[in-house]
Amino acid sequence: MKALILVGGFGTRLRPLTLSFPKPLVDFANKPMILHQIEALKEVGVTEVVLAINYRPEVMINFLKDFEDKLGITITCSQETEPLGTAGPLALAKDKLADGSGEPFFVLNSDVISEYPFAELIEFHKCHGGEATIMVTKVDEPSKYGVVVMEEATGRVERFVEKPKIFVGNKINAGIYLLNPSVLDRIELRPTSIEKEVFPQIAADQKLYAMVLPGFWMDVGQPRDYITGLRLYLDSLRKKSAARLATGAHVVGNVLVHESAKIGEGCLIGPDVAIGPGCVVEDGVRLSRCTVMRGVRIKKHACISNSIIGWHSTVGQWARIENMTILGEDVHVCDEVYSNGGVVLPHKEIKSSILKPEIVM
Amino acid sequence: MKALILVGGFGTRLRPLTLSFPKPLVDFANKPMILHQIEALKEVGVTEVVLAINYRPEVMINFLKDFEDKLGITITCSQETEPLGTAGPLALARDKLADGSGEPFFVLNSDVISEYPFAELIKFHKGHDGEATIMVTKVDEPSKYGVVVMEEATGRVERFVEKPKIFVGNKINAGIYLLNPSVLDRIELRPTSIEKEVFPQIAADQKLYAMVLPGFWMDVGQPRDYITGLRLYLDSLRKKSAGRLATGAHVVGNVLVHESAKIGEGCLIGPDVAIGPGCVVEDGVRLSRCTVMRGVRIKKHACISNSIIGWHSTVGQWARIENMTILGEDVHVCDEVYSNGGVVLPHKEIKSSILKPEIVM
């Protein structure tokens, strides 16, 4: 089977992290975001993944060669010369996706994390006999999104309503689809929206079905949702493979620590923390609701919450980092400095406190 | 003869421009900053230029291959694995600089623009029996800098005083040196400061001389000074090659327009404006004290002052851009938008006005 992952553009919402790496290669729970999806696809028998990209292909391509070898799956890039929206890339990659076997292919939005229940999705799709299945997820405030209105019993999609003013349903498009090759005949090679142009067509032909996504769902394309997403992901890990989480007197709640990371004495780590490869957390450090990326050193007695610490950065002794502070790659926060929501670009040294949320360039 | 240009690091002060290109390749007066220096060096017979860099060598190296061919000068990179300060790079590049000929070699700080009176500098250097010559420039507020105290008649340097509290002189280091190969014997391969460690030694041996830099001088490593520097540069161009400046009813003061740029009807351009290759300035546009980089389109009736518009950006109709607005590469300002000092990272669209100076990421 094949899959297309819509990687898209510049990842500006996840700056400053995306100033160092394209978004799919930004780590989430100690692994590049896109690897979570690729591994789940491989697990259900996908043999080739196509990445639809329009920015910095050379960085992606180099990185993916490594994965191809390690994972035993073919990964190719389909590069847009102009942004093609959410459906155009499918037309661009047509030859790779419709290989004559008649098998359906997956399409994923690269920002989405979930449990990726692809086996259940395949089964549901084969049962209904329609042309396309989209996964939907329940939200509390559907009026902010595009709502999918469906027949409860069968899942057949009746229509889409953009930002409905009255209540029509609470399921929204989760950005995970399984499509028959015939869908490709409906898409022209031009900037096209799959939600606004293609799916409504298929729904009108009564051939579009929706399956409710079990488990958690998050679009981690911006820092606040990235942090919430980590909490949901670790919750899920607690239920499925609790052994991967850290244990010990210094751990509270769900904490993921890479095997190559070192943690000192007298620390209190968690809840909802991920510590990446090669990190050094010195004695007496408090970490909660944060991500610490590869190669970071957190010095003694520092206290970090609700923040993201980018690759190879350092946080000084007794530093206090909180309230959606995002440190880019190679940022060095001096001893005793306070950051309240500072957003710091790569290769900077922070010598004085950041008292209110601001960008430091 | 040889030359070393201290290119250094990340160029963070010139962000967002340096998020797209390493600083030496950022255009100044329609030409990459470093090209101004390399051309002046070639003119006095320098056959090889060594760039001391510690960041993104591959971008530099590709770019410079073009120049090597066009200019007929050898350009090589000397890459620091750790930042070596202002003298360490000389030790690192030793074998390239001391070629056995006994000829002195130039050392330049890459951020400096001036008239580069290198022929006069060579003559002055040969006229005294010292080991090293530094160029100095007069400033109004010497207490903010390192002041060079010298014997007025001969130029022999007596001492350096960092940020003097009482008046000791008003000449500061201009970042342009001509050194005998013997100076290399004084420098170890470790992070070293040429102003704090090496020059004071040579001055103590009474072998350091200073020459006052004729004409203008500016360190254009940050946006405000970049804009002032353009004014000084164009003033100098007016005196030396006025034929290169634009003329016409639509021009006021000093304006440099690349031959491939197009300017519409009813515009008023200047003073102190540089318009780069491939730019399109539509009808009725007002530009003053600004730089418009390669490939930019300024739409009708827009008004821009005291700002820098980055490569391939667009400024919408009736937009008003002022007060140190810096647009990075590929930034699109919508029609009728106002920016008061907005600093915008690459690949952004500005749909609503920026009322006070802030970074848009």
Side-chain angles (χ1 to χ4, degrees):
Chain A
M1 284 181 82
K2 311 285 178 76
L4 179 79
I5 302 181
L6 296 168
V7 171
F10 302 112
T12 63
R13 291 180 306 158
L14 254 189
R15 284 173 170 168
L17 302 174
T18 47
L19 292 176
S20 298
F21 292 94
K23 190 173 50 168
L25 302 185
V26 170
D27 299 281
F28 178 81
N30 296 347
K31 194 161 38 176
M33 279 170 66
I34 207 169
L35 202 53
H36 291 264
Q37 297 185 337
I38 293 179
E39 287 177 347
L41 287 166
K42 175 162 168 66
E43 214 173 302
V44 289
V46 168
T47 52
E48 181 175 349
V49 177
V50 182
L51 306 184
I53 57 178
N54 62 27
Y55 183 56
R56 294 178 79 181
E58 63 290 343
V59 182
M60 291 291 296
I61 290 167
N62 283 342
F63 199 81
L64 297 167
K65 277 197 174 41
D66 279 346
F67 288 156
E68 272 196 317
D69 299 337
K70 287 184 192 147
L71 294 177
I73 189 173
T74 304
I75 306 176
T76 54
C77 288
S78 172
Q79 193 183 357
E80 299 162 45
T81 45
E82 53 160 344
L84 289 173
T86 44
L90 278 70
L92 187 64
K94 189 178 175 119
D95 295 336
K96 294 194 171 106
L97 298 171
D99 59 2
S101 69
E103 285 279 300
F105 58 92
F106 291 94
V107 176
L108 311 185
N109 176 328
S110 70
D111 288 351
V112 164
I113 54 139
S114 74
E115 285 169 15
Y116 307 122
F118 295 146
E120 293 92 312
L121 175 56
I122 291 172
E123 209 189 306
F124 178 87
H125 182 80
K126 293 197 155 145
C127 277
H128 63 61
E131 203 181 349
T133 306
I134 70 177
M135 296 204 84
V136 293
T137 183
K138 275 197 225 175
V139 293
D140 296 327
E141 290 184 59
S143 59
K144 300 197 296 184
Y145 299 88
V147 173
V148 181
V149 181
M150 53 205 255
E151 199 179 56
E152 289 296 318
T154 60
R156 190 174 54 78
V157 175
E158 294 170 12
R159 58 198 165 100
F160 290 80
V161 186
E162 258 316 285
K163 298 186 177 45
K165 294 190 167 57
I166 57 165
F167 185 88
V168 294
N170 61 356
K171 315 278 197 318
I172 64 163
N173 183 355
I176 298 171
Y177 322 132
L178 188 55
L179 312 176
N180 286 355
S182 55
V183 171
L184 293 167
D185 299 329
R186 298 180 182 263
I187 307 173
E188 288 171 25
L189 182 49
R190 58 174 179 80
T192 317
S193 161
I194 206 169
E195 304 94 334
K196 298 194 168 100
E197 298 177 62
V198 182
F199 285 156
Q201 266 186 45
I202 310 178
D205 290 348
Q206 313 223 7
K207 295 190 172 193
L208 179 65
Y209 287 76
M211 174 180 172
V212 178
L213 179 66
F216 73 99
W217 177 87
M218 199 81 222
D219 175 335
V220 296
Q222 53 190 350
R224 189 171 298 276
D225 296 335
Y226 178 108
I227 289 179
T228 306
L230 183 63
R231 175 173 61 76
L232 296 175
Y233 176 88
L234 295 178
D235 268 347
S236 172
L237 208 57
R238 170 69 65 188
K239 292 177 200 135
K240 302 196 162 191
S241 353
R244 292 187 51 206
L245 294 172
T247 51
H250 61 289
V251 174
V252 60
N254 299 328
V255 172
L256 189 65
V257 182
H258 193 270
E259 55 191 7
S260 62
K262 294 182 171 45
I263 300 185
E265 301 292 317
C267 292
L268 188 59
I269 314 286
D272 304 322
V273 172
I275 299 177
C279 287
V280 176
V281 178
E282 295 184 2
D283 298 344
V285 167
R286 177 81 183 97
L287 301 179
S288 63
R289 299 178 185 83
C290 61
T291 287
V292 179
M293 297 210 180
R294 167 188 297 275
V296 167
R297 171 177 289 268
I298 312 289
K299 294 189 173 176
K300 292 183 185 178
H301 320 298
C303 180
I304 303 179
S305 66
N306 284 293
S307 297
I308 302 173
I309 312 300
W311 312 266
H312 306 294
S313 291
T314 323
V315 174
Q317 293 191 44
W318 291 284
R320 183 184 179 88
I321 307 287
E322 60 184 19
N323 193 22
M324 295 295 308
T325 289
I326 320 287
L327 304 186
E329 178 187 15
D330 186 38
V331 169
H332 304 278
V333 176
C334 292
D335 295 348
E336 300 174 49
V337 164
Y338 170 57
S339 167
N340 173 20
V343 178
V344 187
L345 268 68
H347 313 297
K348 294 289 298 177
E349 193 184 16
I350 304 300
K351 300 182 203 174
S352 51
S353 293
I354 300 167
L355 303 176
K356 55 176 176 51
E358 67 186 21
I359 298 170
V360 178
M361 193 165 74
Chain B
M1 284 181 81
K2 310 288 178 75
L4 179 78
I5 303 182
L6 296 168
V7 171
F10 303 112
T12 62
R13 290 179 307 158
L14 255 190
R15 286 173 168 167
L17 302 175
T18 47
L19 292 176
S20 299
F21 291 96
K23 190 173 52 170
L25 301 185
V26 170
D27 300 281
F28 177 82
N30 297 347
K31 194 162 36 180
M33 278 170 66
I34 208 170
L35 202 53
H36 291 266
Q37 298 185 336
I38 294 179
E39 287 176 349
L41 289 165
K42 175 162 167 69
E43 216 172 302
V44 288
V46 168
T47 52
E48 181 173 351
V49 176
V50 183
L51 306 185
I53 56 179
N54 63 26
Y55 184 55
R56 295 179 81 183
E58 62 290 344
V59 183
M60 291 291 295
I61 290 167
N62 282 342
F63 198 81
L64 296 167
K65 277 197 174 41
D66 279 346
F67 288 154
E68 275 197 313
D69 299 336
K70 287 185 191 148
L71 294 177
I73 189 171
T74 304
I75 305 176
T76 54
C77 288
S78 172
Q79 193 183 357
E80 299 161 47
T81 46
E82 53 159 345
L84 289 173
T86 45
L90 279 69
L92 186 65
R94 192 193 170 101
D95 296 334
K96 295 194 170 106
L97 298 171
D99 58 2
S101 68
E103 286 279 301
F105 59 91
F106 290 94
V107 176
L108 311 186
N109 176 327
S110 69
D111 288 352
V112 164
I113 54 138
S114 75
E115 286 168 17
Y116 307 122
F118 295 147
E120 292 92 312
L121 174 56
I122 292 171
K123 200 166 148 188
F124 178 87
H125 183 79
K126 294 196 156 144
H128 66 65
D129 59 354
E131 205 181 346
T133 306
I134 70 177
M135 297 205 83
V136 293
T137 183
K138 272 196 226 175
V139 292
D140 296 325
E141 290 184 59
S143 59
K144 300 196 299 184
Y145 300 88
V147 174
V148 181
V149 181
M150 54 205 253
E151 200 180 53
E152 290 294 319
T154 59
R156 191 174 55 75
V157 175
E158 292 170 14
R159 58 198 167 100
F160 289 80
V161 186
E162 258 317 284
K163 296 185 179 42
K165 294 189 169 54
I166 57 164
F167 185 88
V168 294
N170 62 356
K171 315 278 195 316
I172 65 164
N173 182 356
I176 297 171
Y177 323 131
L178 188 55
L179 312 176
N180 286 354
S182 55
V183 171
L184 293 167
D185 299 330
R186 298 178 181 264
I187 307 173
E188 287 170 28
L189 181 50
R190 59 174 180 82
T192 317
S193 162
I194 206 169
E195 303 93 335
K196 298 194 168 98
E197 297 176 64
V198 182
F199 285 156
Q201 267 186 43
I202 310 179
D205 291 347
Q206 315 224 5
K207 294 194 171 195
L208 179 64
Y209 286 76
M211 175 181 172
V212 178
L213 179 65
F216 74 98
W217 177 88
M218 199 82 223
D219 175 336
V220 296
Q222 54 191 346
R224 187 171 300 277
D225 296 334
Y226 179 108
I227 289 180
T228 306
L230 183 63
R231 174 174 62 76
L232 296 175
Y233 176 89
L234 294 178
D235 266 347
S236 173
L237 208 57
R238 169 71 64 189
K239 293 177 198 135
K240 301 195 163 193
S241 355
R244 292 186 50 206
L245 294 171
T247 51
H250 61 290
V251 175
V252 60
N254 299 329
V255 172
L256 188 65
V257 181
H258 193 271
E259 55 189 6
S260 62
K262 294 182 171 45
I263 301 186
E265 301 292 317
C267 293
L268 187 59
I269 314 284
D272 303 323
V273 172
I275 299 176
C279 288
V280 175
V281 178
E282 295 184 3
D283 297 343
V285 167
R286 176 82 183 96
L287 302 179
S288 62
R289 299 176 185 82
C290 61
T291 287
V292 178
M293 297 212 178
R294 169 187 295 275
V296 166
R297 172 177 288 269
I298 313 288
K299 293 187 174 179
K300 292 182 186 179
H301 320 298
C303 180
I304 303 177
S305 66
N306 284 293
S307 298
I308 302 174
I309 311 300
W311 311 266
H312 305 294
S313 291
T314 322
V315 174
Q317 293 191 44
W318 290 285
R320 182 184 178 87
I321 307 287
E322 60 185 19
N323 193 23
M324 295 296 308
T325 291
I326 318 288
L327 304 185
E329 178 186 18
D330 185 37
V331 169
H332 304 278
V333 176
C334 292
D335 293 348
E336 300 174 49
V337 163
Y338 170 57
S339 168
N340 171 21
V343 177
V344 186
L345 268 68
H347 311 298
K348 294 291 297 181
E349 193 182 17
I350 304 298
K351 299 181 203 176
S352 50
S353 292
I354 300 166
L355 303 176
K356 53 177 179 50
E358 67 186 18
I359 298 170
V360 178
M361 194 165 73

